[in-house]
């Protein structure tokens, strides 16, 4: 399937917001030199307010956050190819070609909607989902293809007695491992996903309730999550 490049409006607006914060900072810094680049908004009287200091302190960090973090997709869009192609055996994004059989780790950065694909040679491709049309279908295609490749190896290792690492979690025949502690399958009451909004970000968590204790795991720190979820559904059909 082919996915066309689309303009990242949200990232673009974040860049504009960051530039506006820098402009405001410069306007306030130039007032003592009697240079007024915002003459009707930034005046000597306003600069004398104590609250102005907080604006100066926050303006540059806010600009860096908006431009370099929230707006990074806009700069990536400028360099991205026109089309991303997903085939039966891999994906191609410009000169970057990744075979699904070579992928050893998949991690979805939910709060940025980036998909990281790490291959056997150690290289990592960052797939910025918001740059492509039909992003949900793109994510599903890649997760299904990579999950199909990795799932058989995971099951083989679990049956042989290994604890398979999934980033923040581990899985073995006895249960899940979180922060070095085993959570037996029989002790798990429920497992669910949960979205938490914090300012401009939405954090996704995997919530595990076992023996009355609730554990929240950041899903952005879970490797190969599609494979993990299939394993959980097989072992905990009622949870």
């Amino acid at each position: 399937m082919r996915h066309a490049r689309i303009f990242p409006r949200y990232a673009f607006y974040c860049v504009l917001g960051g530039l506006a914060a820098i402009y405001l900072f410069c306007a306030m810094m130039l007032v003592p030199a009697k240079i007024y680049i915002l003459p009707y908004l930034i005046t000597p009287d306003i600069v004398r307010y104590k609250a102005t200091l907080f604006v100066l302190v926050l303006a540059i960090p806010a600009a860096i956050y908006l431009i370099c973090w929230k707006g990074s997709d806009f700069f990536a869009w400028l360099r991205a190819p026109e089309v991303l192609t997903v085939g039966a055996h891999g994906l191609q994004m410009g000169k970057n070609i990744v075979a699904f059989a070579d992928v050893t780790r998949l991690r979805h950065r939910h709060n940025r909607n980036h998909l990281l694909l790490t291959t056997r040679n150690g290289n990592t491709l960052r797939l910025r989902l918001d740059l492509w049309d039909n992003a949900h279908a793109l994510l599903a295609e890649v997760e299904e293809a990579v999950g199909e490749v990795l799932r058989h190896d995971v099951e083989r290792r679990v049956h042989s007695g290994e604890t398979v690492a999934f980033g923040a979690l581990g899985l073995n025949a006895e249960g899940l491992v979180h922060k070095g502690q085993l959570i037996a399958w029989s002790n798990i009451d429920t497992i669910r996903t949960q979205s938490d909004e914090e300012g401009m970000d939405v954090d996704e968590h995997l919530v595990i309730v076992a023996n009355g204790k609730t554990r929240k795991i950041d899903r952005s720190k879970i490797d190969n999550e599609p494979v993990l979820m299939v394993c959980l559904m097989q072992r905990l059909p009622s949870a």
Side-chain angles (χ1 to χ4, degrees):
M1 181 178 290
R2 292 164 61 87
H3 296 268
R5 184 183 66 174
I6 60 175
F7 185 71
R9 293 181 182 273
Y10 177 75
F12 177 66
Y13 292 145
C14 286
V15 172
L16 291 182
L19 294 176
I22 293 174
Y23 192 82
L24 177 63
F25 176 84
C26 294
M28 299 179 75
M29 293 297 292
L30 291 173
V31 167
K34 296 184 178 180
I35 300 175
Y36 306 109
I37 58 177
L38 285 174
Y40 298 105
L41 295 177
I42 307 299
T43 64
D45 292 334
I46 291 178
V47 172
R48 293 191 188 99
Y49 284 113
K50 292 182 179 180
T52 303
L53 177 62
F54 291 100
V55 175
L56 288 173
V57 170
L58 294 176
I60 295 302
I64 294 173
Y65 172 74
L66 289 171
I67 295 174
C68 299
W69 182 258
K70 303 298 290 185
S72 63
D73 280 359
F74 170 70
F75 300 105
W77 173 82
L78 296 174
R79 306 186 305 271
E82 294 290 336
V83 175
L84 180 150
T85 304
V86 180
H89 303 290
L91 64 85
Q92 180 175 0
M93 185 174 64
K95 296 181 180 179
N96 294 312
I97 300 175
V98 176
F100 295 136
D102 291 335
V103 176
T104 58
R105 189 182 75 168
L106 177 151
R107 178 174 286 193
H108 187 188
R109 298 283 191 182
H110 292 271
N111 58 351
R112 303 187 71 186
N113 209 19
H114 292 177
L115 193 64
L116 306 181
L117 301 174
T118 302
T119 57
R120 299 183 190 279
N121 58 12
N123 294 331
T124 298
L125 174 69
R126 182 181 295 268
L127 196 58
R128 299 170 185 263
L129 298 172
D130 290 337
L131 299 187
W132 310 101
D133 67 345
N134 208 354
H136 291 293
L138 172 59
L139 175 63
E141 291 166 14
V142 176
E143 286 189 335
E144 181 179 359
V146 174
E148 186 66 27
V149 172
L150 297 177
R151 187 161 54 248
H152 301 294
D153 181 61
V154 168
E155 290 292 352
R156 177 188 60 79
R157 292 170 61 190
V158 170
H159 288 312
S160 67
E162 290 186 48
T163 296
V164 181
F166 287 91
L169 285 173
L171 182 145
N172 58 36
E174 287 74 36
L176 294 173
V177 179
H178 181 237
K179 294 183 177 180
Q181 296 182 339
L182 176 66
I183 309 171
W185 297 120
S186 59
N187 293 334
I188 297 177
D189 301 317
T190 61
I191 293 182
R192 69 180 189 275
T193 58
Q194 177 177 302
S195 300
D196 298 313
E197 293 188 15
E198 295 184 5
M200 298 176 65
D201 294 322
V202 178
D203 294 325
E204 296 287 340
H205 291 95
L206 184 68
V207 181
I208 302 173
V209 180
N211 286 333
K213 181 179 180 180
T214 301
R215 294 174 172 85
K216 292 177 65 175
I217 297 97
D218 186 351
R219 293 174 64 191
S220 294
K221 297 180 180 179
I222 297 177
D223 294 335
N224 304 328
E225 186 180 17
V227 180
L228 174 64
M229 298 306 288
V230 170
C231 293
L232 292 178
M233 287 188 290
Q234 291 175 344
R235 290 162 174 80
L236 300 166
S238 61

